[in-house]
Amino acid sequence: MKQIVVHCEQGLTKAALLEDGQLTEFYMERPASKQLVGSIYKGTVVNVLPGMQAAFVDIGLEKNAFLFIDDLLPAHLDKQPAIKPSIAELVEEKQTLLVQIVKEPIGTKGARVTTHFSIPGRWLVYMPEADYVAVSRKIESEAEKKRLKQLADELRAPGEGLILRTVAEGESREALEHDLHVLRKRWDNIKKKAETRNAPAEIYRDLDMMPRLVRDIFTDDVDEIIIDERSKGDEIMREVREVSPKLAERVKIYDARAPLFEKYGIEEQLDKAFRPKIWLDSGGHVIIDQTEALTVIDVNTGKFTGSVDLEQTVFETNMEAAEKIARLLRLRDIGGIIIVDFIDMEREEHRHTIVKRLEELLKQDRTKALVIGWTKLGLLEITRKKVKENMDSLFFEPCPYCGGKGKAYFRKGCHKY
């Protein structure tokens, strides 16, 4: 059973993805916290740094955006020069550029931008200047991959690039062609608007959270989407009928007295998932410590003593922790470098099984994640694409006393104590 549960209140929208009643993904949007990734801006180059092979671009946000040379060179690797030129040969100060945000401002860093534009649709991602075709790796059938790639090659114009999304599996030529037509028209409107606006200016912004969820998550494998506000529900119904009419009957309006998130146990699951120490069903636990550079996860047996021997107890705890960690990475949207300190295992087969299980679970993650492997110190290294602040930032702010460290220096007579 896969459900999307949506709660609306005073300009705040919360959405939860449940799989067999278990919370796996969570989204929240306020009017002032719209997603920036995917937005296209007309900006002005304010600084070119040949030593860093990068430039800073004023796109009208609080901090200037960062543009790396690889995001200026052609998207197709075969079209890139054999020897990478200096960025000073490609852009100069005061030059205007059309750029797209690929990574939101995080901490003290500004947004990262690119000139490799991509505009997602229901079935396709349209890349106007990429000149290649790619098919989602999550489509397992080789015959279907071949069919979709052939269709995309027939539909695209010279120079255009297309990515066939996972939901395109089994779709007709007509559906893909219609999606491509809409995306081409959207790109033409972006170019026309950019010609008439002075930099810095926002030219295009991706869909708000709810339409984006309908486009990206509400697929055939979702049994129902439940929302507790009728006007929003009607809006979702209209959007679903446009992109996938057969799913319209799965949109349900919730009008019972009990709060929606309480009925489905979402608030309780959120509370447990965002604690520093998360208990496992066996009695073991994991501790999550996030910094700007990386996230460290520590696995402990806790109250679990097992029933066979120490090695088996450790292995069972680590396997349960692996399942929990894969879920928490998605739910808390943890990105960047992740180091997991599993309990030491003596058997190589157990270590191998842990890695394989994590890889299987992370395939279900819509954000690209990769298990790198074990370090010489016995730690497991994972990377997960980071495009915005971790979900923690929506719920917490640094403590004014300890600055977010969890410890405060005690001085006798300090007025704070």
Side-chain angles (χ1 to χ4, degrees):
M1 186 71 171
K2 200 170 183 180
Q3 302 160 297
I4 300 172
V5 181
V6 183
H7 170 58
C8 307
E9 59 174 66
Q10 299 177 344
L12 177 67
T13 305
K14 300 177 183 178
L17 176 65
L18 299 176
E19 295 177 359
D20 293 326
Q22 189 175 60
L23 181 63
T24 54
E25 293 181 23
F26 178 75
Y27 306 88
M28 186 163 72
E29 184 177 75
R30 298 184 182 92
S33 63
K34 303 281 188 180
Q35 176 175 293
L36 294 178
V37 170
S39 298
I40 295 175
Y41 290 81
K42 186 175 184 179
T44 304
V45 178
V46 294
N47 204 357
V48 179
L49 306 172
M52 293 178 62
Q53 285 286 60
F56 286 95
V57 185
D58 177 12
I59 59 174
L61 300 182
E62 185 178 346
K63 297 182 178 68
N64 291 331
F66 179 82
L67 176 66
F68 189 57
I69 188 170
D70 287 352
D71 291 307
L72 270 171
L73 294 172
H76 199 303
L77 294 177
D78 292 344
K79 293 188 175 184
Q80 293 186 7
I83 300 175
K84 195 174 292 186
S86 168
I87 193 169
E89 298 175 32
L90 304 177
V91 291
E92 58 186 18
E93 291 183 13
K94 298 183 180 181
Q95 178 180 341
T96 58
L97 279 178
L98 198 62
V99 294
Q100 184 173 32
I101 293 181
V102 292
K103 189 174 182 180
E104 295 197 1
I106 298 175
T108 59
K109 300 175 183 176
R112 179 168 175 173
V113 295
T114 184
T115 60
H116 303 162
F117 302 102
S118 62
I119 306 172
R122 176 66 171 177
W123 318 116
L124 308 168
V125 176
Y126 178 62
M127 302 174 293
E129 300 163 355
D131 196 23
Y132 68 84
V133 170
V135 181
S136 169
R137 290 179 296 177
K138 293 184 179 180
I139 297 176
E140 297 180 356
S141 169
E142 291 301 323
E144 179 62 5
K145 284 183 178 180
K146 185 177 180 180
R147 183 188 77 90
L148 289 172
K149 189 176 187 307
Q150 184 177 339
L151 267 178
D153 277 323
E154 293 172 3
L155 292 173
R156 73 185 181 105
E160 290 181 334
L162 297 176
I163 296 175
L164 282 300
R165 308 183 70 180
T166 307
V167 290
E169 185 173 8
E171 286 301 322
S172 65
R173 179 191 181 98
E174 290 72 24
L176 301 181
E177 193 168 16
H178 174 72
D179 208 22
L180 179 56
H181 173 73
V182 171
L183 296 175
R184 276 185 183 141
K185 189 173 181 180
R186 192 170 298 165
W187 175 243
D188 288 339
N189 291 336
I190 288 170
K191 290 191 293 183
K192 288 176 184 176
K193 187 175 179 181
E195 289 173 359
T196 61
R197 300 290 298 273
N198 294 323
E202 181 183 88
I203 305 300
Y204 164 81
R205 176 168 285 199
D206 196 9
L207 301 175
D208 289 342
M209 187 182 80
M210 282 314 304
R212 198 169 64 245
L213 290 181
V214 170
R215 181 190 69 195
D216 297 341
I217 298 180
F218 193 28
T219 53
D220 287 341
D221 64 338
V222 175
D223 297 279
E224 58 184 2
I225 180 168
I226 307 155
I227 185 166
D228 60 3
E229 185 179 287
R230 180 161 293 279
S231 60
K232 285 273 188 183
D234 293 339
E235 181 184 330
I236 290 173
M237 186 79 77
R238 287 193 296 271
E239 290 162 0
V240 171
R241 283 178 177 147
E242 285 183 14
V243 298
S244 191
K246 61 186 178 182
L247 297 180
E249 62 182 17
R250 302 186 192 182
V251 180
K252 310 285 177 62
I253 306 297
Y254 181 81
D255 56 6
R257 286 194 172 189
L260 180 59
F261 270 29
E262 284 186 20
K263 177 178 173 60
Y264 286 90
I266 295 169
E267 293 290 357
E268 182 182 357
Q269 291 190 58
L270 279 173
D271 178 59
K272 291 179 179 178
F274 282 87
R275 292 175 183 174
K277 178 188 286 188
I278 295 119
W279 289 96
L280 306 174
D281 292 339
S282 65
H285 64 262
V286 298
I287 297 174
I288 299 179
D289 189 9
Q290 293 180 245
T291 69
E292 187 171 345
L294 54 80
T295 298
V296 179
I297 303 176
D298 186 30
V299 181
N300 297 281
T301 54
K303 303 172 184 176
F304 182 51
T305 57
S307 58
V308 181
D309 56 35
L310 177 60
E311 177 67 14
Q312 188 63 26
T313 299
V314 166
F315 175 63
E316 290 175 9
T317 304
N318 284 340
M319 280 294 286
E320 188 182 3
E323 303 258 352
K324 181 73 74 174
I325 288 166
R327 173 177 167 250
L328 290 171
L329 293 183
R330 291 174 65 189
L331 179 54
R332 294 173 63 153
D333 199 16
I334 297 172
I337 300 169
I338 300 142
I339 301 295
V340 185
D341 185 7
F342 283 104
I343 309 165
D344 290 340
M345 293 170 285
E346 294 182 0
R347 296 183 189 173
E348 185 60 34
E349 63 190 81
H350 284 170
R351 290 156 59 93
H352 179 73
T353 303
I354 293 292
V355 170
K356 283 297 179 185
R357 184 57 182 150
L358 265 174
E359 288 175 340
E360 290 172 6
L361 293 167
L362 291 176
K363 284 180 182 178
Q364 302 167 20
D365 196 339
R366 294 188 307 112
T367 299
K368 185 177 179 181
L370 181 66
V371 180
I372 304 298
W374 300 96
T375 70
K376 290 182 179 181
L377 294 175
L379 308 172
L380 189 64
E381 186 178 0
I382 303 170
T383 61
R384 188 172 183 271
K385 188 175 181 181
K386 186 172 186 175
V387 295
K388 57 183 179 180
E389 291 273 16
N390 293 329
M391 191 65 71
D392 290 43
S393 62
L394 294 176
F395 297 97
F396 307 107
E397 60 183 25
C399 168
Y401 299 116
C402 69
K405 294 181 179 179
K407 297 178 180 178
Y409 177 63
F410 180 80
R411 289 180 295 147
K412 188 176 180 180
C414 175
H415 72 279
K416 292 178 182 177
Y417 299 91

